Amino acid sequence: MAMAAAENNGVSVSTAAHNKTLADFQPPKKPRRNKFALACSILASLASILLGYDIGVMSGAMIFIQDDLKISDVKVEILAGILDLYCLIGSFAAGRTSDWIGRRYTIVVSAAIFFVGAILMGFATNYAFLMVGRFVAGIGVGFALMIAPVYTAEVSPASSRGFLTSFPEVFINIGILFGYVSNYAFSKLRTDLGWRVMLGAGAVPSVFLAIGGFVMPESPRWLVMQGRLGEAKAVLDRTSDNKEEADLRLNDIKEAAGIPQDCTDDIVQVKKQTHGEGVWKELLLHPTPPVRHMLLCVVGIHFFQQAIGLDSIVLYSPRIFEKAGIKSSNHKLLATMAVGFVKTIFILVATFFLDKIGRRPLLLSSAAGIVISLAMLGLSLTVIGQSDQKVTWAIGLCITMVLSNVAVFSIGMGPVTWVYSTEILPLRLRAQGASIGVAVNRGTSGLVSMTFISLYEAITIGGAFFLYTGAAVVAFCYFYAFFPETRGRTLEEMEGLFEVTNMVDSAPENGAPLIRPAVVVANSEVSKKPKPRMNKFTFASAILASLTSMLLGYDIGVMSGAIIFIKEDMKISDVQIEILVGVLSLYCLIGSIIAGKIADLIDRQYTIALANVIIFVGSLLIGFSTNYAFLMFGRFVTGFFCFFSGISHLIP
């Protein structure tokens, strides 16, 4: 009987194996998107509307503010860009505040501060009063910008973290669109009333944000850091794709917080570091190689997101369209609304690709698109500025490139910046590290937006966008060299990923560990050996390679005298001369970043040959320049490859 049962069991197993269908071998289906995590992310990301609305509404409001308060272009620049500098205060304060009172109450604080700032701006009676309102609102925006992506990253499951963490950028774009619509809607009011209503209306979204802050749950990672394991587990159960993932996330967070894995109490004692003790030291003074790599990525991506001049397009789009030949205020505001619609549509498209395609491909393709669109925008504006007649094709190209620029930005550099910079930082460093990133972001944005008018008056508006093109090329090279893919990783795995990346970068191509053999030779033995004769072939090769450095020296020497004749011929100012001379050094940064990798890719001698060919092209562009903008473009090409070729011979 037992044998028969065994045989039956054997038959049943065999039969079950043979009766499997094709569906049994299919990969497991991707879990359905967690609706509770989605709702939490939307509520938190409402904070980003505050910045977006301010950027959008100020682009149109400053036309009426300048007309009403009779202020200069310099004051307009300061008014538009100063909020970004005030954000620095809020972003730095938000890091400590969010560790102190929690993520969601920090969101409530940001909403309350911005509400007060919007009311002050709406009731401003003069420029000084308006600047006070900008100061208060800027602090609120700084709080919101730092806390929204941090909270969203901490409640999101790994399967949809890219999608959910991109929401802050989505809502920034929605806020920009609301600001543009507000410009158009209230532009029909009296000049002295219209701009005040535009700015004061920013208080409305802050009310909804404050209400949302009291409704949403606290971040599970912050709860664990406070020793509130029971509450953290409840939140993780609701924001994870399944029970197993919730337990895994909780164990990872407990390990990061130094809590034993077998501890199951609802409340535990956690050793707390007061006032961020040790965090700043680990981030800035004595970072480990993985943390240093993370910090370079966070600072770099935030810097380049703004250094490419996007705020110049978004904030000053009415002026750009005016330069392109659109004179009617109504038509300028309508064209600006088109910018907002395109930006919002493409950011929505990007959110669905972050977890499918990955961060790195979107970032690199976006940076490449920005390079092309900025270069074409600079070209079209230069042609329009140099022509006495209406150039229809250049006007069409200008408008198309403005829309293309915001589109490709929204596909990659816009959302990936906030996703990447929050997800790669370990729990203990996340709040302060995110504060540094936001501070760099807003500081760079303030510098760009506060200098755009002065910049294009100094080097022409086409030249300004050629300058931004150079920054975009540097950004592409930086992303290519330093940014690993993070799609699908849990937040607790990131430090290990960057540790592996550092090891891989320092290892030989065959994957073997990098070992530097130690050679010990007695001093007496060294002294006895005769000095070898110099290898003539090596000597000749070194001289040939080093000849490329003459290009940089020649440029420095020839420019010292050429600027006298350039200034006299083109009738340019001393500021333009300064920029013409010094900008080559900035363009050299591009070559310094990518020369090593290109030399490994196509070999050293071809790297030198390629560099010299394109230096030749750059020199021809400079020699045949008909105006200042084209001269700057030639300097860009020459500067890029001058340093590129100059360091290629240093690679062993």
Side-chain angles (χ1 to χ4, degrees):
M1 182 71 69
M3 186 177 296
E7 289 177 357
N8 289 337
N9 289 339
V11 171
S12 64
V13 171
S14 177
T15 303
H18 286 292
N19 288 340
K20 283 189 175 182
T21 63
L22 184 62
D24 295 320
F25 295 95
Q26 295 294 328
K29 293 182 179 180
K30 184 178 179 180
R32 297 177 63 183
R33 187 159 283 130
N34 188 296
K35 294 181 180 179
F36 185 73
L38 176 66
C40 293
S41 301
I42 290 175
L43 287 173
S45 300
L46 284 173
S48 300
I49 281 186
L50 305 180
L51 174 64
Y53 183 83
D54 185 89
I55 293 173
V57 79
M58 189 53 70
S59 69
M62 58 187 172
I63 299 173
F64 306 102
I65 293 172
Q66 187 171 24
D67 187 34
D68 182 34
L69 299 183
K70 312 300 180 188
I71 57 177
S72 65
D73 281 345
V74 174
K75 287 188 176 181
V76 168
E77 282 182 319
I78 295 173
L79 182 67
I82 197 68
L83 183 128
D84 295 313
L85 300 186
Y86 293 149
C87 281
L88 299 178
I89 303 172
S91 65
F92 277 120
R96 179 175 295 182
T97 303
S98 66
D99 284 341
W100 178 36
I101 65 174
R103 299 343 188 196
R104 65 170 181 160
Y105 289 126
T106 302
I107 292 175
V108 175
V109 170
S110 71
I113 296 174
F114 188 83
F115 178 85
V116 174
I119 295 297
L120 288 174
M121 289 189 290
F123 286 97
T125 55
N126 53 49
Y127 185 76
F129 197 165
L130 186 58
M131 288 294 285
V132 172
R134 298 290 283 168
F135 170 71
V136 177
I139 294 177
V141 169
F143 267 82
L145 272 182
M146 177 267 160
I147 197 58
V150 168
Y151 177 89
T152 306
E154 291 183 347
V155 299
S156 304
S159 63
S160 57
R161 190 177 62 249
F163 173 73
L164 297 179
T165 316
S166 66
F167 277 20
E169 181 67 17
V170 172
F171 280 91
I172 287 177
N173 284 272
I174 292 174
I176 290 173
L177 179 57
F178 283 169
Y180 288 158
V181 173
S182 176
N183 287 154
Y184 187 73
F186 298 124
S187 63
K188 311 302 179 186
L189 299 175
R190 290 195 330 263
T191 301
D192 61 331
L193 179 62
W195 66 264
R196 289 180 169 86
V197 176
M198 294 174 191
L199 297 179
V204 176
S206 63
V207 173
F208 290 100
L209 175 62
I211 295 172
F214 288 107
V215 174
M216 67 180 70
E218 184 52 83
S219 158
R221 286 175 173 79
W222 184 82
L223 290 171
V224 171
M225 294 296 287
Q226 305 304 307
R228 294 154 62 176
L229 297 186
E231 295 176 57
K233 187 177 185 305
V235 175
L236 286 170
D237 286 341
R238 299 189 67 185
T239 58
S240 299
D241 292 329
N242 50 58
K243 182 70 167 58
E244 291 73 19
E245 185 192 6
D247 293 338
L248 181 62
R249 289 173 68 187
L250 180 61
N251 290 334
D252 287 342
I253 300 171
K254 285 163 64 176
E255 182 180 356
I259 300 174
Q261 295 292 317
D262 57 356
C263 180
T264 58
D265 297 338
D266 287 346
I267 303 292
V268 299
Q269 291 294 324
V270 179
K271 184 180 179 181
K272 298 180 181 178
Q273 294 180 332
T274 59
H275 305 296
E277 178 186 352
V279 172
W280 293 111
K281 182 184 293 185
E282 185 175 356
L283 269 175
L284 302 177
L285 298 181
H286 305 294
T288 61
V291 170
R292 186 184 302 114
H293 189 174
M294 291 175 185
L295 191 61
L296 284 173
C297 289
V298 170
V299 171
I301 198 169
H302 275 287
F303 171 77
F304 284 117
Q305 189 198 46
Q306 299 302 326
I308 60 171
L310 180 86
D311 275 4
S312 296
I313 293 177
V314 175
L315 263 176
Y316 297 101
S317 51
R319 286 180 180 251
I320 295 172
F321 291 133
E322 183 179 354
K323 292 287 184 180
I326 301 175
K327 302 301 180 183
S328 168
S329 295
N330 195 48
H331 291 166
K332 283 187 286 187
L333 292 178
L334 281 172
T336 301
M337 283 178 61
V339 173
F341 277 112
V342 170
K343 204 169 186 300
T344 303
I345 290 170
F346 277 88
I347 189 66
L348 291 173
V349 172
T351 59
F352 293 97
F353 288 103
L354 277 165
D355 289 316
K356 294 180 180 178
I357 297 178
R359 284 61 156 156
R360 183 178 167 88
L362 287 176
L363 193 61
L364 292 175
S365 58
S366 175
I370 288 169
V371 170
I372 296 170
S373 61
L374 285 175
M376 292 297 100
L377 180 57
L379 175 65
S380 62
L381 288 169
T382 299
V383 171
I384 293 170
Q386 295 296 318
S387 178
D388 296 330
Q389 299 178 349
K390 186 176 181 180
V391 186
T392 306
W393 69 266
I395 295 173
L397 180 63
C398 174
I399 296 173
T400 303
M401 286 303 105
V402 168
L403 298 177
S404 299
N405 183 267
V406 297
V408 294
F409 176 87
S410 296
I411 286 176
M413 286 187 70
V416 173
T417 295
W418 303 102
V419 173
Y420 204 93
S421 62
T422 51
E423 70 180 0
I424 65 175
L425 291 165
L427 174 61
R428 65 188 183 279
L429 309 176
R430 187 166 299 135
Q432 286 83 354
S435 295
I436 294 174
V438 173
V440 172
N441 187 292
R442 290 298 90 198
T444 309
S445 175
L447 180 64
V448 168
S449 55
M450 291 175 67
T451 57
F452 178 66
I453 296 176
S454 299
L455 181 65
Y456 79 63
E457 287 178 349
I459 65 173
T460 74
I461 192 166
F465 283 107
F466 283 139
L467 189 65
Y468 295 147
T469 302
V473 175
V474 179
F476 179 89
C477 301
Y478 192 85
F479 299 152
Y480 180 82
F482 294 110
F483 283 58
E485 180 57 70
T486 58
R487 178 170 62 101
R489 302 268 184 174
T490 67
L491 296 181
E492 283 67 39
E493 289 175 342
M494 293 299 174
E495 193 164 2
L497 170 65
F498 279 80
E499 186 171 359
V500 170
T501 303
N502 276 281
M503 291 170 63
V504 169
D505 288 344
S506 60
E509 294 180 359
N510 60 9
L514 181 64
I515 302 174
R516 298 186 182 276
V519 180
V520 181
V521 182
N523 291 334
S524 59
E525 293 182 17
V526 173
S527 61
K528 293 176 183 177
K529 290 183 178 180
K531 184 178 179 180
R533 296 179 61 184
M534 182 176 294
N535 187 299
K536 295 180 180 179
F537 182 75
T538 303
F539 181 68
S541 299
I543 290 179
L544 287 173
S546 301
L547 285 175
T548 57
S549 300
M550 289 178 60
L551 302 172
L552 179 60
Y554 179 81
D555 182 272
I556 295 172
V558 78
M559 190 54 69
S560 65
I563 54 177
I564 301 172
F565 306 101
I566 293 173
K567 182 177 182 180
E568 183 180 352
D569 180 35
M570 295 189 174
K571 313 300 181 187
I572 56 178
S573 65
D574 287 337
V575 174
Q576 289 175 298
I577 287 293
E578 286 178 326
I579 295 173
L580 182 67
V581 172
V583 78
L584 186 102
S585 299
L586 299 180
Y587 292 149
C588 282
L589 293 175
I590 306 168
S592 67
I593 291 175
I594 68 168
K597 287 190 175 291
I598 297 297
D600 285 337
L601 182 64
I602 66 172
D603 205 352
R604 276 59 164 164
Q605 65 183 109
Y606 294 122
T607 301
I608 296 174
L610 173 65
N612 283 277
V613 167
I614 305 189
I615 288 174
F616 177 77
V617 175
S619 300
L620 289 181
L621 288 173
I622 294 174
F624 288 97
S625 296
T626 56
N627 54 57
Y628 186 76
F630 280 118
L631 183 59
M632 286 290 289
F633 184 68
R635 294 284 284 169
F636 163 68
V637 176
T638 304
F640 178 87
F641 284 93
C642 186
F643 194 84
F644 191 94
S645 63
I647 78 164
S648 61
H649 73 281
L650 299 178
I651 305 173

